[in-house]
C-alpha cells in the first residue's frame, strides 16, 4: 500500500510538471495573441555588482518584495515555497536552511548554518527567525552552490540574501492591516521621507500576534495510569507574537559618495516551531530517571514508566508546568559607504548585532512537573568588510576585499532545575558553554572577456578562523547536603588551563588544555566559463569549493572542536529567454562532494554536532517562467536531488527501551549509503499570477501556487520520514478605480489543510521522537494603503 501511494504521488507530480510545461509551450508560441507582453528584467547582486540575473553564470532565484507580498510570503521560513532547491525548517528560535541537500539542522548557539542568511549584505551568525520578518523587502536572492569566494563565511551550501528597501528621494507610504483565523492580527507600515536633495530616510514596522493556538495542551485523567487517556479540552497551544522595526538613512553629499546607516530591533515570544510532542505515528513516555540521570518521583508519575496516550496532530502533552517557548529581544546597526574613485569603487560595510534569547524547554515532553531547562543564548557579533571593485563600465570586471568577524555564541548558562534534580539533593545545574570566533579573510574575483561572447571568471578566498571554547558546569546543592546553606561545586571545566576533569568528571585537573583553542585555515576558489548563444541564451560551467569552519559543541562544551566541512562543487547550466522574451527557461545540473559533513547527533539528552566521513549530493533543477498574455505570468520550477552519505560510521540511532516503555535508548549504527536529512528526492513549484483591469471598476489580482515535496528523512539514520507534502496557497486582491491607493486582499495558505512537520529531534528519554507541526489551513483578509 505504501509503495503504491508513493508511486501515485510520483506519477502525479511528473504529470503536473508535464501538463504545466505543455501549457507553457502552447501559450508561449502564440505571441500574436499578446500585446505589450514580456518578462521583466531581474537585477541581482550575486557577484557584488548589479547585473541581470540571466547574465549571471550561476544558479540564482530572485523574487521582488512586491511578489513576495502578493504571494503572502512574510517570513524567511516560507521561501522554500518559491525555490524547490530550498528546504527550510524552524526550530528553537532559529531557521534551519538547506540548499541542494547541504545544511545541518542543529540550532545550538554558536553553531553556524551551512547556508547563511544575509540582510543588506550583513552576515547573521545566528539565524534567529524574528530578525527575518520580510517587511519592507526590495528583493530576496537565493544563490545555490558554494559561495566561498565573494560571500565566504560558511557559505558551503549556498546563500540567502535579503535586501530591504533603500530610502528614495520621493515621498512614499504603505500600510497593511490584516486579520486571520486563530485570532491573528498583522500590521505593517513603511514610510519614506526625503529630507533634502541629498538626504532621505525610511522606516518599517511589523507586528504579528496569533492569539489562538492550532491545538490543545492536554492533561492526563490519572497521572499514575496513562491508559485512562487525556482530559477533554485544554489550553490553546502553538501561539506566537512578534514586533520588529527597521530604519535607514541615506546621505549622498556628492555624485561619487553615498553613506547609508541602518538600525533594527526585534522582540518575540513564540511556541511555534518548538519540539513539544511525539512525532506523528510514534509515542512518548512518562519520565524515567535512568534515561536522564535524574530522580524518579514515586507518587508523582508511574514507576516504571508508561507509554503516553496518542494525541491529535496539533495537540501537546505538557500539562500546567511544562510549557515550552522561545523568547528573544535583539537589535543591530550597520553602516555602508560607497565611494566612486577614478579607476575603481570602494565599499565599506560595518555591522554590529546583539540578541538576548531564552529557550524554555521541558526535561520530558509529558504533563509532569519534573525537570526544566532554561537555555540562555549568547548571540553577539561585529563584522567589517572592505571591497575595491572595478567600475561598472570596465571591460574586465574585478573585485578584491577583506573581511573580519568577531562573534560570541553559546549558552550562559543552561539551567536545569525542578523536582528531577531536587530529588538528588540538587537545587540547580548550570551548564556554561561559550565560543568566540575570530575570522579573517582576503578574497578576489576577476571576470575576463576572452571574446565578445565568452567570459572566464576566476575567484579565490583565504580564510583564517580562530575558535576558542570556554565551558564549565556548576552544581548547586540544596541546604543541608553539605552544610546549612546552599553549596555550589564546579564539577567540570573546559578552558585554557583546565581539562574536563577526572575519570568521573568531578575534579579539576590543572594544566594546559590543548583542545581549548583551534585555528583553521582554508583556501577556497571558483572557476567559471560562460558562453553566449546569441543575445538571449547563455551556457556556463563552474567548479568551486565551499568551507564551513570547525566549531565547538556548546551544550555542554567538553570536547575538541569539530573538523571543518569542505565541499567541492561542479555545476553546468543554461539560461535562456525565448519567443521575444515571453519565456524564460533556466536549467542546472550539479554535483557536490562533501568532506567531513557536520551533522546532528545527541548525547546525554542534549543536541550536538558530529562529523561524518563524507557525503555526495547530485541533481538537476529547472525554472520556467512564461508570460503568455497581458497581465498573466505562469511559473514552473522543479528539482531532482540524490543526496547520500558515502561514509558515516558511528552514526547515532535510537530504539525504544525494553525496560522503560515510551523511552528511547541511543545506539550506534553505520549510516554509510543512507540518504541525507532534509533532502527530498523530488520538489516542485507551480504558480500563476494574473492581473486584470476592468474599466470603471478597478483592478483584480490573482495569485495561486502549489508546492510539492516528496518524502524525506529527518535524520542520518533514516529512521523517521516526513511524508509527501503538497501545499496550496492563493490570494485575490481588488483595487477600486475610485480608490486607486486602497487594495482589499483575501488570502489562504495550506488550502487543503495538509498536516506536516516543521522539525524533528530524537532524544534518549521519554521525549522520544519529537517534533512540531506546521500551520494548518490559515486564511484572512488584508487592507492595503499605498501613497
Amino acid at each position: 500500500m505504501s509503495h503504491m501511494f508513493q508511486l501515485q504521488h510520483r506519477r502525479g507530480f511528473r504529470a503536473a510538471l508535464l501538463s504545466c510545461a505543455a501549457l507553457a509551450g502552447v501559450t508561449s508560441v502564440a505571441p500574436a495573441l499578446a500585446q505589450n507582453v514580456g518578462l521583466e528584467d531581474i537585477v541581482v547582486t550575486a557577484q557584488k555588482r548589479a547585473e541581470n540575473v540571466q547574465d549571471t553564470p550561476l544558479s540564482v532565484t530572485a523574487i521582488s518584495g512586491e511578489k513576495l507580498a502578493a504571494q503572502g510570503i512574510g517570513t524567511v521560513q516560507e521561501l522554500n515555497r518559491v525555490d524547490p532547491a530550498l528546504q527550510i525548517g524552524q526550530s528553537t528560535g532559529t531557521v534551519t536552511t538547506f540548499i541542494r541537500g547541504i545544511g545541518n539542522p542543529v540550532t545550538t548557539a554558536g553553531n553556524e548554518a551551512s547556508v547563511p542568511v544575509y540582510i543588506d549584505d550583513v552576515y547573521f551568525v545566528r539565524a534567529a527567525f524574528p530578525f527575518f520578518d520580510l517587511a519592507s523587502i526590495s528583493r530576496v536572492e537565493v544563490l545555490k552552490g558554494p559561495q566561498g569566494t565573494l560571500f565566504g563565511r560558511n557559505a558551503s551550501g549556498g546563500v540567502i540574501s535579503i535586501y530591504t528597501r533603500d530610502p528614495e528621494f520621493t515621498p512614499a507610504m504603505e500600510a497593511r492591516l490584516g486579520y486571520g483565523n486563530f485570532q491573528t492580527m498583522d500590521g505593517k507600515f513603511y514610510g519614506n521621507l526625503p529630507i533634502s536633495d541629498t538626504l532621505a530616510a525610511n522606516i518599517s514596522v511589523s507586528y504579528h500576534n496569533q492569539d489562538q493556538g492550532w491545538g490543545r495542551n492536554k492533561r492526563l485523567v490519572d497521572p499514575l495510569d496513562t491508559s485512562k487517556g487525556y482530559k477533554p479540552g485544554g489550553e490553546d497551544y502553538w501561539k506566537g507574537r512578534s514586533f520588529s522595526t527597521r530604519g535607514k538613512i541615506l546621505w549622498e553629499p556628492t555624485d561619487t559618495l553615498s553613506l547609508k546607516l541602518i538600525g533594527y530591533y526585534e522582540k518575540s515570544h513564540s511556541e511555534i516551531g518548538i519540539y513539544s510532542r511525539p512525532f506523528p505515528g510514534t509515542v512518548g513516555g512518562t519520565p524515567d530517571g535512568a534515561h536522564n540521570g535524574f530522580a524518579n518521583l514515586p507518587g508523582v508519575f508511574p514507576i516504571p514508566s508508561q507509554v503516553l496516550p496518542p494525541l491529535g496532530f496539533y495537540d501537546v502533552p505538557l500539562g500546567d508546568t511544562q510549557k515550552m517557548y522561545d523568547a528573544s529581544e535583539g537589535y543591530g546597526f550597520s553602516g555602508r559607504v560607497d565611494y566612486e574613485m577614478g579607476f575603481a569603487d570602494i565599499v565599506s560595510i560595518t555591522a554590529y548585532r546583539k540578541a538576548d534569547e531564552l529557550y524554555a524547554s521541558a526535561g520530558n515532553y509529558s504533563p509532569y512537573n519534573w525537570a526544566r531547562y532554561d537555555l540562555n543564548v549568547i548571540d553577539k557579533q561585529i563584522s567589517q568588510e572592505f571591497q575595491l571593485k572595478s567600475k561598472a563600465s570596465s571591460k574586465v570586471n574585478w573585485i578584491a576585499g577583506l573581511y573580519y568577524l568577531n562573534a560570541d555564541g553559546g549558552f550562559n548558562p543552561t539551567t536545569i532545575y525542578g523536582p528531577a534534580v531536587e530529588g538528588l539533593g540538587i537545587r540547580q545545574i548550570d551548564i556554561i558553554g561559550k565560543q568566540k570566533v575570530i575570522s579573517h579573510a582576503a578574497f578576489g574575483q576577476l571576470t575576463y572577456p576572452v571574446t565578445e561572447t565568452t567570459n572566464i571568471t576566476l575567484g579565490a578566498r583565504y580564510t583564517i578562523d580562530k575558535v576558542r571554547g570556554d565551558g564549565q558546569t556548576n552544581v548547586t546543592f540544596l541546604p543541608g547536603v553539605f552544610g546549612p546553606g546552599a553549596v555550589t561545586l564546579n564539577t567540570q571545566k573546559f578552558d585554557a588551563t583546565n581539562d574536563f576533569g577526572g575519570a568521573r568528571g568531578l575534579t579539576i585537573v590543572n594544566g594546559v588544555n590543548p583542545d581549548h583553542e583551534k585555528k583553521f585555515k582554508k583556501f577556497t576558489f571558483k572557476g567559471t566559463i560562460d558562453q553566449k548563444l546569441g543575445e538571449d541564451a547563455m551556457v556556463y560551467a563552474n567548479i568551486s569549493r565551499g568551507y564551513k569552519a570547525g566549531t565547538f559543541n556548546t551544550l555542554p562544551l567538553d570536547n575538541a572542536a569539530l573538523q571543518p566541512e569542505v565541499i567541492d562543487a561542479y555545476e553546468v547550466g543554461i539560461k535562456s529567454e525565448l519567443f521575444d522574451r515571453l519565456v524564460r527557461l533556466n536549467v542546472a545540473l550539479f554535483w557536490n562532494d562533501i568532506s567531513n559533513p557536520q551533522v546532528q547527533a545527541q548525547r546525554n539528552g542534549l543536541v550536538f554536532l558530529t562529523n561524518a566521513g563524507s557525503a555526495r549530493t547530485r541533481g538537476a533543477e529547472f525554472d520556467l517562467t512564461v508570460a503568455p498574455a497581458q497581465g498573466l505570468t505562469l511559473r514552473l520550477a522543479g528539482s531532482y536531488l540524490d543526496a547520500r552519505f558515502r561514509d558515516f560510521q558511528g552514526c547515532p540511532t535510537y530504539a525504544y527501551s525494553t525496560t522503560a516503555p515510551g523511552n528511547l535508548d541511543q545506539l550506534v549504527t553505520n549510516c554509510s549509503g543512507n540518504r541525507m536529512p532534509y533532502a527530498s528526492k523530488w520538489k516542485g513549484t507551480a504558480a500563476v499570477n494574473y492581473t486584470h483591469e476592468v474599466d470603471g471598476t478597478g483592478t483584480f489580482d490573482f495569485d495561486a501556487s502549489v508546492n510539492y515535496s516528496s518524502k524525506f528523512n529527518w535524520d542520518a539514520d533514516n529512521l523517521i520520514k516526513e511524508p509527501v507534502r503538497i501545499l496550496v496557497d492563493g490570494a485575490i486582491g481588488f483595487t477600486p478605480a475610485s480608490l486607486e491607493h486602497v487594495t482589499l486582499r483575501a488570502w489562504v495558505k495550506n488550502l487543503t489543510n495538509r498536516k506536516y512537520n516543521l522539525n524533528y529531534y530524537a532524544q534518549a528519554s521519554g521525549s522520544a521522537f519529537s517534533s512540531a507541526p506546521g500551520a494548518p489551513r490559515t486564511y484572512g483578509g488584508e487592507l492595503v494603503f499605498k501613497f
Side-chain angles (χ1 to χ4, degrees):
M1 179 69 70
S2 175
H3 175 72
M4 289 299 296
F5 177 78
Q6 295 172 15
L7 185 61
Q8 289 171 359
H9 273 274
R10 191 177 305 158
R11 288 174 175 170
F13 174 58
R14 290 175 177 171
L17 292 181
L18 293 173
S19 298
C20 290
L23 172 63
V26 171
T27 54
S28 63
V29 294
L33 298 178
Q35 298 179 354
N36 299 320
V37 178
L39 296 169
E40 297 180 354
D41 288 337
I42 302 174
V43 177
V44 297
T45 55
Q47 298 191 103
K48 301 293 187 181
R49 62 175 71 250
E51 59 186 343
N52 190 319
V53 69
Q54 293 301 105
D55 296 327
T56 306
L58 60 100
S59 186
V60 183
T61 296
I63 185 168
S64 69
E66 290 184 356
K67 289 185 178 180
L68 288 171
Q71 295 181 27
I73 295 174
T75 64
V76 71
Q77 302 95 290
E78 296 176 313
L79 289 176
N80 54 1
R81 302 189 183 197
V82 299
D83 191 334
L86 272 174
Q87 191 83 279
I88 302 180
Q90 177 181 333
S91 175
T92 60
T94 66
V95 291
T96 52
T97 48
F98 288 71
I99 290 180
R100 294 175 173 174
I102 297 173
N104 66 72
V106 180
T107 54
T108 48
N111 174 48
E112 300 174 54
S114 300
V115 178
V117 181
Y118 283 70
I119 301 181
D120 292 325
D121 293 312
V122 173
Y123 167 58
F124 277 59
V125 170
R126 180 168 171 82
F129 66 83
F131 284 112
F132 304 135
D133 187 318
L134 299 181
S136 72
I137 295 300
S138 173
R139 70 186 184 282
V140 174
E141 300 176 13
V142 180
L143 285 59
K144 287 165 274 191
Q147 305 298 319
T149 300
L150 295 182
F151 288 86
R153 181 64 194 170
N154 288 350
S156 55
V159 168
I160 299 174
S161 284
I162 300 170
Y163 295 92
T164 61
R165 295 168 67 173
D166 284 336
E168 299 175 336
F169 292 93
T170 302
M173 187 190 78
E174 180 177 327
R176 294 174 175 266
L177 299 174
Y179 185 81
N181 60 334
F182 300 106
Q183 296 180 10
T184 303
M185 296 184 64
D186 284 286
K188 288 181 170 62
F189 172 82
Y190 174 80
N192 182 84
L193 179 66
I195 300 171
S196 70
D197 291 342
T198 61
L199 187 66
N202 67 20
I203 187 171
S204 66
V205 179
S206 179
Y207 172 78
H208 171 82
N209 185 11
Q210 181 191 316
D211 207 35
Q212 185 181 77
W214 306 328
R216 298 286 183 176
N217 184 4
K218 311 297 287 187
R219 294 157 179 79
L220 291 167
V221 172
D222 184 348
L224 298 180
D225 185 358
T226 63
S227 66
K228 295 180 180 179
Y230 295 106
K231 297 178 181 179
E235 291 181 280
D236 282 347
Y237 203 80
W238 308 117
K239 298 183 291 184
R241 60 183 183 272
S242 63
F243 170 84
S244 65
T245 183
R246 178 180 297 268
K248 286 188 177 183
I249 298 175
L250 174 65
W251 184 38
E252 297 180 342
T254 70
D255 292 339
T256 59
L257 179 62
S258 172
L259 292 89
K260 191 188 306 176
L261 298 177
I262 305 172
Y264 49 89
Y265 169 84
E266 66 80 19
K267 187 173 184 179
S268 73
H269 185 287
S270 182
E271 299 162 346
I272 296 171
I274 308 296
Y275 341 93
S276 302
R277 48 85 152 137
F279 191 90
T282 70
V283 296
T286 62
D288 177 70
H291 279 81
N292 296 76
F294 296 152
N296 284 321
L297 303 177
V300 176
F301 52 76
I303 301 171
S305 63
Q306 297 179 7
V307 172
L308 289 170
L311 290 159
F313 188 85
Y314 297 101
D315 293 334
V316 298
L318 299 179
D320 294 320
T321 60
Q322 296 291 84
K323 294 179 182 178
M324 301 172 62
Y325 61 88
D326 185 271
S328 72
E329 184 174 16
Y331 62 91
F333 308 94
S334 67
R336 175 174 176 134
V337 178
D338 288 80
Y339 179 60
E340 299 179 13
M341 300 189 297
F343 73 99
D345 297 338
I346 293 178
V347 178
S348 171
I349 303 171
T350 307
Y352 172 83
R353 186 181 64 84
K354 185 179 186 300
D356 295 316
E357 182 181 346
L358 170 64
Y359 171 44
S361 178
N364 184 274
Y365 307 159
S366 62
Y368 302 97
N369 179 21
W370 190 50
R372 295 289 300 172
Y373 291 70
D374 284 353
L375 288 74
N376 295 279
V377 174
I378 302 168
D379 181 22
K380 184 172 70 173
Q381 69 177 85
I382 299 172
S383 63
Q384 174 64 55
E385 181 171 349
F386 292 107
Q387 302 171 11
L388 180 67
K389 55 187 179 181
S390 60
K391 309 292 289 185
S393 59
S394 175
K395 181 178 180 181
V396 177
N397 290 324
W398 54 267
I399 180 173
L402 298 172
Y403 181 78
Y404 169 79
L405 173 72
N406 187 323
D408 295 311
F411 302 93
N412 189 24
T414 292
T415 300
I416 305 173
Y417 59 98
V421 296
E422 292 170 1
L424 301 175
I426 296 171
R427 187 172 72 185
Q428 67 186 58
I429 301 171
D430 292 309
I431 303 174
I432 299 170
K434 299 183 291 184
Q435 174 178 266
K436 175 173 279 292
V437 174
I438 298 178
S439 180
H440 299 84
F443 61 90
Q445 182 169 297
L446 180 145
T447 299
Y448 180 77
V450 179
T451 69
E452 291 185 358
T453 59
T454 307
N455 296 306
I456 292 179
T457 300
L458 298 174
R461 189 181 191 104
Y462 187 71
T463 303
I464 301 175
D465 288 317
K466 182 178 179 181
V467 294
R468 188 181 75 227
D470 293 283
Q472 67 183 59
T473 298
N474 299 322
V475 178
T476 301
F477 291 88
L478 292 168
V481 176
F482 288 105
V487 175
T488 299
L489 297 181
N490 183 284
T491 62
Q492 167 192 314
K493 206 160 197 178
F494 186 92
D495 61 19
T497 59
N498 293 278
D499 294 322
F500 170 65
R504 297 185 180 181
L506 297 175
T507 59
I508 302 301
V509 178
N510 293 321
V512 176
N513 180 356
D515 295 328
H516 157 73
E517 189 170 280
K518 292 291 184 181
K519 182 179 287 187
F520 303 101
K521 301 178 182 180
K522 197 64 181 178
F523 173 76
T524 53
F525 57 84
K526 175 182 179 180
T528 302
I529 182 169
D530 65 84
Q531 174 67 51
K532 285 284 189 179
L533 304 176
E535 292 186 4
D536 297 321
M538 175 184 71
V539 294
Y540 67 89
N542 68 50
I543 178 173
S544 59
R545 171 168 289 173
Y547 158 75
K548 181 180 184 295
T551 183
F552 283 100
N553 286 299
T554 55
L555 189 62
L557 203 159
D558 59 6
N559 281 312
L562 275 73
Q563 291 299 310
E565 176 182 275
V566 179
I567 298 177
D568 289 322
Y570 313 88
E571 180 179 328
V572 295
I574 182 169
K575 296 188 171 187
S576 62
E577 292 182 335
L578 310 170
F579 305 110
D580 197 22
R581 301 188 66 205
L582 295 178
V583 176
R584 181 177 292 140
L585 175 62
N586 297 334
V587 179
L589 306 176
F590 60 88
W591 182 297
N592 300 309
D593 288 322
I594 312 169
S595 301
N596 297 316
Q598 297 175 2
V599 297
Q600 177 174 281
Q602 190 252 87
R603 180 166 55 91
N604 299 331
L606 301 173
V607 64
F608 81 117
L609 283 175
T610 189
N611 284 117
S614 62
R616 180 263 297 145
T617 75
R618 61 185 178 184
E621 301 163 354
F622 77 93
D623 195 327
L624 172 68
T625 306
V626 184
Q630 180 69 37
L632 177 62
T633 303
L634 306 174
R635 180 171 179 258
L636 183 68
S639 69
Y640 166 80
L641 175 65
D642 180 22
R644 296 184 181 274
F645 289 105
R646 285 179 163 171
D647 177 23
F648 192 3
Q649 303 179 49
C651 170
T653 189
Y654 309 88
Y656 280 108
S657 171
T658 57
T659 59
N663 283 254
L664 293 183
D665 292 333
Q666 183 171 343
L667 307 172
V668 175
T669 188
N670 185 351
C671 291
S672 302
N674 283 8
R675 293 189 66 86
M676 296 175 69
Y678 291 74
S680 294
K681 190 174 183 179
W682 299 94
K683 291 192 71 180
T685 295
V688 57
N689 170 260
Y690 181 57
T691 300
H692 181 66
E693 184 177 351
V694 179
D695 290 341
T697 301
T699 301
F700 292 87
D701 289 286
F702 173 76
D703 282 276
S705 66
V706 180
N707 299 276
Y708 172 91
S709 297
S710 64
K711 67 179 181 180
F712 62 85
N713 298 286
W714 281 107
D715 227 337
D717 61 6
N718 288 190
L719 193 61
I720 302 295
K721 304 179 188 300
E722 178 71 6
V724 169
R725 183 185 300 177
I726 303 174
L727 300 178
V728 181
D729 304 331
I732 298 175
F734 172 64
T735 303
S738 58
L739 294 170
E740 61 181 12
H741 298 297
V742 178
T743 299
L744 300 172
R745 182 173 172 271
W747 57 268
V748 61
K749 296 182 182 180
N750 193 6
L751 175 65
T752 61
N753 207 26
R754 189 81 174 192
K755 293 180 172 66
Y756 66 99
N757 298 282
L758 288 176
N759 52 40
Y760 162 85
Y761 177 47
Q763 183 168 328
S765 70
S767 300
F769 304 110
S770 56
S771 63
R777 181 192 298 116
T778 55
Y779 51 87
E782 185 178 48
L783 187 60
V784 183
F785 303 90
K786 290 185 179 182
F787 297 95

